[in-house]
Amino acid sequence: MSNSKTNTATVTPSKFTIVQKIQSFLKLGDSGKMDSFFTRVEKTLKRQIAAHEANIETIKFNSNTQLEALRDQHEDAKQSLEEAYMALTPEDVATNEKQVSFMDTYLENVAEKQLSITKIESKVKSVGEATDEKVKAINKSIDELNATIKSVIG
C-alpha cells in the first residue's frame, strides 16, 4: 500500500491582477476611462446612424406620398386630355366658318391639357431625383460614420 498524497498547489492571483480587474470592472483608471469614452463615442455614432436611417425612411415616405398625389393628378390630366380631344359638338363643326373658328379653341385646349401632363411628368421625375439625391447623401454620411466607428473602435 502506498501512501501517495496529492500535492495541490493553490495559485493565488497576483495583487496587480486583482486590482486591474477591479479597476476594469469599476471603470477606474486610465484604461477604464478610455474604454468608457470609446463606448460613449460608439453609442453616439450609432445613434446618429439610426437617426439618419430614420430620416431616409421619412424621406421615402414623403416622396411616395407626393408621387401618389402626382399619379392621381396625372390620371386626371390624361382624362382631361381625352375629354379635350372629344370636346366638340356637331354645332361646332356645322359650317366651314365654324370649323375654322373652333379649330383654334380646340387646339389650344388640347395643347393646354398636354402641357399639364408634361408638367406633372416633370414633377414626378424631379421628386424621384430629389429623393435619390437626399438618400444618397445620407447614405454617404452613414458610410462615413461607420468608417469612423471602424477606425476608432476597431
Side-chain angles (χ1 to χ4, degrees):
M1 193 178 310
S2 70
N3 284 338
S4 67
K5 292 185 178 179
T6 309
N7 287 343
T8 58
T10 308
V11 177
T12 56
S14 117
K15 188 165 106 176
F16 263 148
T17 306
I18 293 172
V19 170
Q20 286 176 342
K21 285 183 181 180
I22 290 171
Q23 284 179 335
S24 177
F25 177 74
L26 296 176
K27 300 290 185 202
L28 302 174
D30 291 340
S31 174
K33 289 178 185 175
M34 296 295 264
D35 288 345
S36 175
F37 172 76
F38 285 118
T39 299
R40 192 175 304 242
V41 167
E42 181 180 24
K43 285 180 183 178
T44 299
L45 293 174
K46 286 185 177 181
R47 272 194 306 271
Q48 289 177 358
I49 290 170
H52 283 319
E53 289 170 344
N55 193 14
I56 288 173
E57 292 305 312
T58 301
I59 289 169
K60 287 181 179 180
F61 175 80
N62 290 340
S63 174
N64 286 336
T65 302
Q66 285 180 308
L67 290 173
E68 285 177 29
L70 289 170
R71 279 187 216 105
D72 289 344
Q73 290 176 13
H74 191 259
E75 275 185 43
D76 292 345
K78 286 173 73 175
Q79 182 65 37
S80 291
L81 179 61
E82 287 180 26
E83 291 170 2
Y85 281 128
M86 297 184 294
L88 70 139
T89 63
E91 292 125 21
D92 294 329
V93 292
T95 65
N96 285 336
E97 184 180 328
K98 284 186 175 183
Q99 288 177 10
V100 169
S101 71
F102 180 70
M103 185 172 45
D104 287 338
T105 305
Y106 178 81
L107 292 175
E108 285 176 19
N109 190 27
V110 168
E112 178 184 315
K113 303 305 179 186
Q114 288 172 329
L115 180 61
S116 177
I117 290 173
T118 302
K119 285 180 180 180
I120 293 169
E121 289 170 347
S122 178
K123 286 180 186 177
V124 168
K125 184 179 177 182
S126 67
V127 166
E129 289 172 351
T131 299
D132 290 345
E133 287 177 23
K134 289 175 187 175
V135 169
K136 185 178 177 180
I138 293 171
N139 279 328
K140 183 179 178 187
S141 294
I142 290 172
D143 291 342
E144 290 169 355
L145 291 170
N146 279 324
T148 301
I149 290 173
K150 188 174 181 180
S151 296
V152 172
I153 309 303

